[in-house]
């Protein structure tokens, strides 16, 4: 059965149509990468999946049931920014989810239980390359390091559905490649379903099993808000597509490449 | 030549410049006092430093003839006790109500307009009601401080809670947090340094209410003393008391700032970078 079904989904803010008429089915274990012009509604789409925005029209089904309109444990998120807790150290940020799970009243663990929780957290922190910064606060980290912390924080929870909003934008190439390997291995190991927005189309082709291009189908120059974005391309990614990706650098070029194919 | 906005005084220059106005005021006072005393040696308006020292000696260093107490320290203790009790009660209740208001829309809906209305009631206007209801004892003085600053503190805390980026609250939910857990692990710790900051801002008002209440009904306290000796035009007592109150206010503010910096380094790093 399909994990997520998107049925004739619309999202409007007042008179501005952001997304129109989306129809898609996503199965467990797919890795959907999303590209599209800035401001075309990619983040809005993730918010719909997350449950912090609700559809204006249409339906969003999870396991055949309407999606709960509230963020919950089964869906993890890494936002573009403000994603870590400024009052907690790196370690505390990552340990938090196990503390919340085992200590409903205080939301804190002590002694042996805490040590136990720290062990797996430290492993995850080392995996994102922040092992040297366990006791640092987010304000002492660079933007890229904060983003990796946010990633560790979400990954350790192993949510069924992981939503990533341009998570690697601020990383330099070496670290970015490490993060790619980390996400891919966790994705394979735990059969996660991932939606990832990226502005780097190569990255989209490299990581995803499926690449969506968000774009406005129609544009009325007199009323630029009258029409929303749709998923104009839904490309299954295989080896050959990844080869194509080698040659492609910008969204316009992908349109040309896909159109020619 | 650098532009003026780029010329920054060094450490020594900052201290010298900072002290300068104080020294100037002292000198000005001395000159004026000397001039008046030269004309009339019984002048009470600007007493000489020696008569001020004498008054301090009588109040702070010699026991009172009747009670055997050192009235200056007795006054200080009484006032500080009322002030800390009033501010403490206000801060605690503001923290609880402000955080709940900020975090839970269904509490904010009925409480927020009510608190706004309360904060517009002039506290001095209801001082007589407090005296009638709570009597002339300690309680009504403490209550005046509480009523005077709590609504402001609640509104400020509520606002700070609402300013926490929604991304953080959403993130906490995706990590499995319940409403209660979000309050104790995400909202409350981030509100503490903000509470200290708004308490610092409200201290001035707290002193105002304290001294007003003491002036009207008390048997000891810094405000009580000042208004008592006013009848005898005892500027030699009033002036050191005012300086002492100012110093206490400064020390309290400094203490709160130190505590905040010590306990919440992440908060100060954030606000200073922003
Ligand atoms: N809460 C909101 N209220 C009104 N308009 C919004 C809101 N959130 C997003 N928008 C608008 O929706 C459009 C898509 O935004 P977004 O999804 O953030 O784009 P992006 O593809 O860059 O992530 C933008 O034009 C933005 O102005
Ligand atoms: Mg976006």
């Amino acid at each position: 059965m399909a994990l997520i079904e998107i049925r004739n989904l619309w999202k409007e803010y007042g008179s501005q149509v952001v997304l129109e008429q989306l129809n898609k089915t996503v199965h467990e274990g797919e890795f959907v990468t999303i590209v599209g012009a800035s401001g075309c509604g990619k983040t809005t789409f993730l918010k719909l999946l997350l449950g912090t925005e609700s559809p204006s029209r249409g339906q969003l089904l999870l396991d055949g049931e309407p999606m709960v309109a509230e963020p919950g444990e089964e869906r993890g998120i890494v936002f573009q920014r403000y994603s870590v807790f400024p009052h907690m150290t790196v370690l505390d940020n990552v340990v938090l989810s196990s503390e919340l799970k085992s200590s409903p009243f205080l939301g804190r663990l002590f002694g042996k239980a805490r040590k136990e929780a720290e062990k797996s957290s430290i492993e995850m922190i080392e995996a994102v390359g922040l092992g040297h910064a366990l006791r640092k606060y987010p304000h002492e980290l660079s933007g890229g390091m904060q983003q990796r912390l946010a990633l560790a924080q979400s990954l350790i929870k192993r949510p069924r559905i992981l939503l990533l909003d341009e998570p690697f934008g601020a990383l330099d190439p070496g670290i970015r490649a490490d993060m790619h390997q980390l996400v891919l291995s966790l994705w394979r190991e735990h059969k996660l379903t991932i939606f990832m927005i990226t502005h780097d189309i190569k990255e989209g082709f490299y990581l995803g099993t499926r690449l969506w291009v968000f774009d406005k189908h129609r544009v009325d120059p007199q009323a630029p808000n009258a029409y929303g974005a749709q998923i104009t391309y839904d490309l299954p990614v295989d080896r050959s597509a990844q080869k194509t990706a080698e040659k492609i650098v910008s969204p316009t070029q992908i349109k040309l490449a896909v159109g020619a194919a | 030549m650098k532009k003026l906005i780029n010329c920054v005084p060094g450490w020594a220059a900052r201290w010298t410049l900072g002290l300068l106005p104080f020294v100037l005021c002292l000198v000005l006072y001395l000159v004026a006092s000397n001039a008046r005393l030269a004309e009339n040696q019984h002048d009470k308006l600007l007493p000489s430093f020696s008569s001020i020292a004498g008054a301090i000696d009588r109040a702070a260093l010699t026991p009172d003839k009747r009670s055997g107490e050192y009235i200056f320290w007795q006054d200080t203790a009484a006032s500080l006790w009322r002030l800390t009790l009033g501010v403490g009660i206000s801060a605690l209740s503001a923290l609880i109500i402000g955080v709940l208001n900020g975090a839970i829309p269904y509490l904010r809906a009925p409480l927020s307009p009510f608190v706004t209305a309360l904060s517009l009631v002039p506290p001095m206007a209801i001082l007589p009601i407090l005296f009638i209801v709570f009597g002339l004892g300690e309680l009504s003085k403490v209550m005046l401080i509480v009523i005077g600053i709590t609504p402001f503190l609640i509104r400020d805390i509520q606002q700070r809670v609402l300013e926490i980026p929604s991304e953080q609250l959403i993130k906490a939910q995706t990590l499995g947090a319940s409403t209660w857990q979000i309050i104790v692990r995400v909202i409350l710790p981030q509100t503490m340094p903000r509470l200290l900051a708004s308490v610092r801002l409200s201290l001035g008002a707290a002193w105002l209410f304290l001294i007003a209440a003491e002036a009207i009904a008390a048997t000891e306290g810094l405000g009580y003393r000042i208004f008592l000796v006013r009848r005898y035009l005892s500027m030699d007592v009033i002036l050191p008391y005012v300086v002492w109150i100012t110093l206490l206010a400064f020390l309290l503010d400094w203490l709160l700032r130190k505590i905040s910096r010590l306990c919440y380094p992440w908060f100060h790093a954030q606000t200073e970078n922003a």
Side-chain angles (χ1 to χ4, degrees):
Chain A
M1 198 178 77
L3 176 70
I4 291 171
E5 261 183 88
I6 302 163
R7 289 197 192 148
N8 191 29
L9 183 77
W10 291 65
K11 181 66 194 174
E12 292 150 21
Y13 289 112
S15 65
Q16 182 188 4
V17 183
V18 178
L19 298 170
E20 64 175 65
Q21 224 181 346
L22 305 187
N23 283 293
K24 288 286 167 222
T25 303
V26 176
H27 293 275
E28 181 125 42
E30 287 197 85
F31 194 143
V32 181
T33 50
I34 297 170
V35 296
S38 166
C40 76
K42 304 181 298 295
T43 299
T44 305
F45 178 71
L46 277 205
K47 285 182 181 164
L48 288 165
L49 286 177
L50 185 62
T52 57
E53 291 283 352
S54 42
S56 310
R57 270 180 267 172
Q59 273 188 311
L60 204 50
L61 305 179
L62 176 65
D63 296 322
E65 302 284 325
M67 185 92 77
V68 186
E70 178 178 65
E73 288 185 79
E74 77 283 4
R75 285 163 279 169
I77 177 111
V78 175
F79 288 107
Q80 275 173 293
R81 55 199 191 111
Y82 292 133
S83 218
V84 293
F85 300 108
H87 59 293
M88 295 184 193
T89 60
V90 167
L91 183 57
D92 288 342
N93 261 292
V94 180
V95 173
L96 181 65
S97 63
S98 23
E99 289 190 304
L100 294 172
K101 187 163 184 192
S102 328
S103 165
F105 187 67
L106 286 179
R108 275 181 195 279
L109 292 176
F110 303 95
K112 221 174 121 209
R114 161 94 192 183
K115 278 270 162 315
E116 200 65 25
E118 277 183 5
K119 225 165 69 193
S120 56
S121 300
I122 291 175
E123 274 169 29
M124 181 57 79
I125 293 169
E126 276 166 357
V128 298
L130 294 177
H132 59 283
L134 287 179
R135 311 273 162 210
K136 289 203 165 145
Y137 284 97
H139 73 261
E140 299 169 285
L141 308 178
S142 71
M145 289 162 89
Q146 290 188 26
Q147 205 59 354
R148 280 185 276 156
L149 174 58
L151 193 66
Q153 194 178 37
S154 294
L155 286 179
I156 198 161
K157 186 82 188 155
R158 314 232 150 85
R160 279 181 80 197
I161 302 170
L162 182 61
L163 308 169
L164 306 171
D165 196 348
E166 301 191 18
F168 308 131
L171 305 186
D172 48 57
I175 292 171
R176 186 189 278 232
D178 290 347
M179 293 304 108
H180 287 169
Q181 292 322 309
L182 177 68
V183 169
L184 282 177
S185 69
L186 284 165
W187 168 65
R188 280 193 205 107
E189 235 175 275
H190 300 281
K191 283 215 176 291
L192 309 180
T193 307
I194 301 183
F195 291 84
M196 182 177 104
I197 298 174
T198 174
H199 56 249
D200 179 348
I201 219 155
K202 271 191 192 173
E203 187 178 75
F205 269 113
Y206 176 67
L207 290 175
T209 54
R210 197 167 169 186
L211 182 129
W212 291 355
V213 181
F214 276 55
D215 201 4
K216 285 198 182 189
H217 200 58
R218 297 168 287 183
V219 180
D220 180 348
Q222 251 61 51
N225 290 338
Y227 298 107
Q230 293 182 313
I231 299 174
T232 50
Y233 294 99
D234 179 354
L235 309 169
V237 179
D238 53 21
R239 289 263 156 256
S240 68
Q242 279 176 15
K243 285 233 180 63
T244 326
E246 310 282 288
K247 296 180 230 143
I248 294 172
V249 276
S250 77
T252 23
Q253 272 174 295
I254 179 182
K255 275 187 229 163
L256 295 175
V258 171
Chain B
M1 186 60 186
K2 269 192 186 175
K3 287 187 219 53
L4 200 53
I5 58 160
N6 293 327
C7 301
V8 182
W11 181 84
R14 259 212 324 274
W15 272 90
T16 319
L17 290 172
L19 284 174
L20 193 65
F22 292 98
V23 175
L24 277 181
C25 277
L26 268 184
V27 169
L28 209 66
Y29 180 89
L30 264 182
V31 171
S33 164
N34 279 344
R36 283 187 75 103
L37 287 170
E39 225 164 81
N40 166 14
Q41 60 170 356
H42 297 297
D43 180 69
K44 295 195 108 179
L45 197 62
L46 300 177
S48 70
F49 280 176
S50 62
S51 58
I52 290 180
I56 293 176
D57 178 57
R58 263 173 283 128
L61 305 174
T62 21
D64 186 52
K65 277 188 224 77
R66 255 186 309 139
S67 62
E69 304 266 7
Y70 296 88
I71 52 173
F72 177 81
W73 300 112
Q74 200 183 3
D75 287 338
T76 304
S79 289
L80 279 184
W81 169 243
R82 288 166 192 150
L83 187 83
T84 41
L85 198 61
V87 172
I89 293 173
S90 307
L92 192 67
S93 39
L95 185 67
I96 295 169
I97 300 173
V99 164
L100 289 177
N101 261 3
I104 300 174
Y106 261 97
L107 280 177
R108 184 159 69 243
L111 283 181
S112 180
F114 186 63
V115 170
T116 306
L118 277 188
S119 73
L120 297 174
V121 175
M124 291 307 293
I126 55 169
L127 185 56
I129 304 179
L130 296 182
F131 284 141
I132 293 167
V133 175
F134 297 112
L136 296 179
E138 289 304 293
L139 190 57
S140 54
K141 297 177 206 62
V142 173
M143 281 310 286
L144 181 66
I145 298 177
V146 172
I147 289 174
I149 65 174
T150 306
F152 160 78
L153 288 176
I154 293 178
R155 289 177 72 184
D156 203 52
I157 294 301
Q158 175 183 325
Q159 192 52 41
R160 302 293 153 226
V161 172
L162 290 173
E163 279 167 13
I164 295 177
S166 62
E167 281 88 344
Q168 284 186 31
L169 307 183
I170 294 167
K171 180 74 174 231
Q173 294 176 66
T174 66
L175 298 178
S178 63
T179 299
W180 170 251
Q181 287 176 321
I182 292 176
I183 289 175
V184 294
R185 288 304 313 270
V186 180
I187 297 178
L188 207 55
Q190 294 198 62
T191 312
M192 283 308 294
R194 296 178 163 98
L195 177 71
L196 285 180
S198 29
V199 164
R200 280 177 64 198
L201 283 179
S202 68
L203 272 181
W207 276 104
L208 170 72
F209 295 128
L210 174 72
I211 288 171
E214 286 181 341
I216 296 170
T219 52
E220 57 183 359
L222 297 166
Y224 161 75
R225 194 69 53 197
I226 290 177
F227 278 79
L228 180 75
V229 301
R230 177 190 62 117
R231 296 179 208 157
Y232 318 112
L233 281 181
S234 297
M235 288 293 275
D236 54 345
V237 175
I238 295 177
L239 287 178
Y241 264 67
V242 170
V243 172
W244 177 237
I245 291 172
T246 311
L247 188 68
L248 286 177
F250 173 82
L251 285 177
L252 274 180
D253 183 71
W254 177 84
L255 192 70
L256 287 175
R257 202 182 71 201
K258 278 282 159 212
I259 292 175
S260 183
R261 289 188 164 271
L262 200 69
C263 299
Y264 311 103
W266 51 269
F267 176 74
H268 294 277
Q270 243 181 357
T271 45
E272 268 137 50
N273 292 341

PDB file of all heavy atoms in Angstrom, chain A residues 39 42-44 80 165-166 197, ligand 2:
ATOM      1  N   GLY A  39      10.834  30.355  -3.783  1.00  0.00           N
ATOM      2  CA  GLY A  39       9.521  30.965  -3.591  1.00  0.00           C
ATOM      3  C   GLY A  39       8.391  30.255  -4.312  1.00  0.00           C
ATOM      4  O   GLY A  39       7.271  30.749  -4.337  1.00  0.00           O
ATOM      5  N   LYS A  42       8.076  25.039  -2.270  1.00  0.00           N
ATOM      6  CA  LYS A  42       8.670  23.770  -1.821  1.00  0.00           C
ATOM      7  C   LYS A  42       8.542  23.612  -0.302  1.00  0.00           C
ATOM      8  O   LYS A  42       8.124  22.575   0.194  1.00  0.00           O
ATOM      9  CB  LYS A  42      10.149  23.704  -2.231  1.00  0.00           C
ATOM     10  CG  LYS A  42      10.384  23.898  -3.719  1.00  0.00           C
ATOM     11  CD  LYS A  42      11.842  23.813  -4.082  1.00  0.00           C
ATOM     12  CE  LYS A  42      12.727  24.872  -3.450  1.00  0.00           C
ATOM     13  NZ  LYS A  42      12.441  26.254  -3.873  1.00  0.00           N
ATOM     14  N   THR A  43       8.911  24.676   0.417  1.00  0.00           N
ATOM     15  CA  THR A  43       8.810  24.615   1.875  1.00  0.00           C
ATOM     16  C   THR A  43       7.359  24.445   2.300  1.00  0.00           C
ATOM     17  O   THR A  43       7.046  23.683   3.227  1.00  0.00           O
ATOM     18  CB  THR A  43       9.408  25.881   2.506  1.00  0.00           C
ATOM     19  OG1 THR A  43      10.791  25.951   2.149  1.00  0.00           O
ATOM     20  CG2 THR A  43       9.297  25.868   4.011  1.00  0.00           C
ATOM     21  N   THR A  44       6.461  25.133   1.603  1.00  0.00           N
ATOM     22  CA  THR A  44       5.038  24.994   1.904  1.00  0.00           C
ATOM     23  C   THR A  44       4.604  23.544   1.762  1.00  0.00           C
ATOM     24  O   THR A  44       3.853  23.030   2.593  1.00  0.00           O
ATOM     25  CB  THR A  44       4.223  25.885   0.949  1.00  0.00           C
ATOM     26  OG1 THR A  44       4.717  27.214   1.057  1.00  0.00           O
ATOM     27  CG2 THR A  44       2.754  25.849   1.283  1.00  0.00           C
ATOM     28  N   GLN A  80      15.266  24.933   7.295  1.00  0.00           N
ATOM     29  CA  GLN A  80      16.353  25.721   6.733  1.00  0.00           C
ATOM     30  C   GLN A  80      17.155  26.417   7.830  1.00  0.00           C
ATOM     31  O   GLN A  80      18.338  26.608   7.718  1.00  0.00           O
ATOM     32  CB  GLN A  80      15.799  26.763   5.753  1.00  0.00           C
ATOM     33  CG  GLN A  80      15.603  26.205   4.343  1.00  0.00           C
ATOM     34  CD  GLN A  80      14.905  27.191   3.421  1.00  0.00           C
ATOM     35  OE1 GLN A  80      13.740  27.509   3.603  1.00  0.00           O
ATOM     36  NE2 GLN A  80      15.608  27.670   2.428  1.00  0.00           N
ATOM     37  N   ASP A 165      14.739  20.311   4.588  1.00  0.00           N
ATOM     38  CA  ASP A 165      14.588  21.536   3.801  1.00  0.00           C
ATOM     39  C   ASP A 165      15.960  22.163   3.552  1.00  0.00           C
ATOM     40  O   ASP A 165      16.502  22.824   4.431  1.00  0.00           O
ATOM     41  CB  ASP A 165      13.678  22.516   4.545  1.00  0.00           C
ATOM     42  CG  ASP A 165      13.163  23.626   3.631  1.00  0.00           C
ATOM     43  OD1 ASP A 165      13.682  23.753   2.503  1.00  0.00           O
ATOM     44  OD2 ASP A 165      12.250  24.354   4.056  1.00  0.00           O
ATOM     45  N   GLU A 166      16.503  21.941   2.389  1.00  0.00           N
ATOM     46  CA  GLU A 166      17.851  22.410   2.035  1.00  0.00           C
ATOM     47  C   GLU A 166      18.846  22.206   3.170  1.00  0.00           C
ATOM     48  O   GLU A 166      19.456  23.148   3.656  1.00  0.00           O
ATOM     49  CB  GLU A 166      17.804  23.891   1.641  1.00  0.00           C
ATOM     50  CG  GLU A 166      16.864  24.114   0.471  1.00  0.00           C
ATOM     51  CD  GLU A 166      16.986  25.509  -0.136  1.00  0.00           C
ATOM     52  OE1 GLU A 166      18.001  26.178   0.113  1.00  0.00           O
ATOM     53  OE2 GLU A 166      16.066  25.899  -0.867  1.00  0.00           O
ATOM     54  N   ILE A 197      14.366  18.836   0.017  1.00  0.00           N
ATOM     55  CA  ILE A 197      14.450  19.972  -0.891  1.00  0.00           C
ATOM     56  C   ILE A 197      15.919  20.314  -1.084  1.00  0.00           C
ATOM     57  O   ILE A 197      16.691  20.306  -0.122  1.00  0.00           O
ATOM     58  CB  ILE A 197      13.726  21.194  -0.297  1.00  0.00           C
ATOM     59  CG1 ILE A 197      12.239  20.887  -0.100  1.00  0.00           C
ATOM     60  CG2 ILE A 197      13.907  22.406  -1.195  1.00  0.00           C
ATOM     61  CD1 ILE A 197      11.491  21.989   0.608  1.00  0.00           C
TER      62      ILE A 197
HETATM   63 MG1  LIG C   2      12.125  27.222   1.230  1.00  0.00          MG
END
